[in-house]
Amino acid sequence: MILTETLPEAGESKIELLKDKPEMRMKRWNGEVDMGVAYTKVKSSGERALLTNRMEWKSAKEEVHAYPIDDENFEFEVILKSKPNTNVFEFEITGYEELDFFYQPELTPEEIAQGSS
């Protein structure tokens, strides 16, 4: 499944959900930036849930669901079918090497009152 948006100042932006494994690829500026997030513990092909915009990958002990929450946010969730042996969940991130990440503090009450989210 591919969701695409084109902005004149930033080119094409895409979110791709891969069918062969639980991975979401986020592409910006016509593919110049391509970062992926994958949950590699579930080894199955994905299917689009009937009449939804949600992709699902299933194994005997876990499921992974990916879907848009709104125009700007995506959910990538792991659903446990039984108690796991550990409380650590590892995700593989690729394509991050050329990107800079910054801590974003919580919004202040004033920012929230002004409409920030």
Side-chain angles (χ1 to χ4, degrees), residues 1 5 45 50 64-65 69 89 93 104:
M1 175 172 21
E5 173 184 50
S45 292
L50 187 62
V64 177
H65 297 175
I69 296 173
F89 299 90
I93 301 174
Q104 180 179 348

Side-chain angles (χ1 to χ4, degrees), residues 42-97:
V42 173
K43 309 261 189 240
S44 72
S45 292
E47 294 181 359
R48 187 172 177 177
L50 187 62
L51 301 175
T52 72
N53 57 357
R54 182 179 73 229
M55 282 289 287
E56 299 176 348
W57 300 264
K58 299 178 181 182
S59 72
K61 294 185 178 184
E62 296 174 311
E63 290 184 20
V64 177
H65 297 175
Y67 52 88
I69 296 173
D70 55 35
D71 289 341
E72 298 177 358
N73 299 291
F74 244 82
E75 183 81 26
F76 200 64
E77 62 187 6
V78 177
I79 298 170
L80 306 173
K81 296 180 181 180
S82 61
K83 183 178 178 182
N85 295 330
T86 179
N87 64 351
V88 176
F89 299 90
E90 296 180 9
F91 291 82
E92 180 180 280
I93 301 174
T94 57
Y96 65 89
E97 298 84 5

Side-chain angles (χ1 to χ4, degrees), residues 5-70:
E5 173 184 50
T6 302
L7 302 170
E9 66 278 1
E12 186 177 75
S13 296
K14 284 187 200 179
I15 302 284
E16 293 180 356
L17 301 174
L18 302 186
K19 186 169 182 167
D20 61 330
K21 62 182 176 177
E23 181 173 356
M24 177 177 11
R25 301 221 50 93
M26 296 158 278
K27 299 180 179 188
R28 293 269 189 197
W29 299 289
N30 299 320
E32 184 178 326
V33 174
D34 180 359
M35 188 178 98
V37 177
Y39 186 68
T40 58
K41 193 172 174 186
V42 173
K43 309 261 189 240
S44 72
S45 292
E47 294 181 359
R48 187 172 177 177
L50 187 62
L51 301 175
T52 72
N53 57 357
R54 182 179 73 229
M55 282 289 287
E56 299 176 348
W57 300 264
K58 299 178 181 182
S59 72
K61 294 185 178 184
E62 296 174 311
E63 290 184 20
V64 177
H65 297 175
Y67 52 88
I69 296 173
D70 55 35

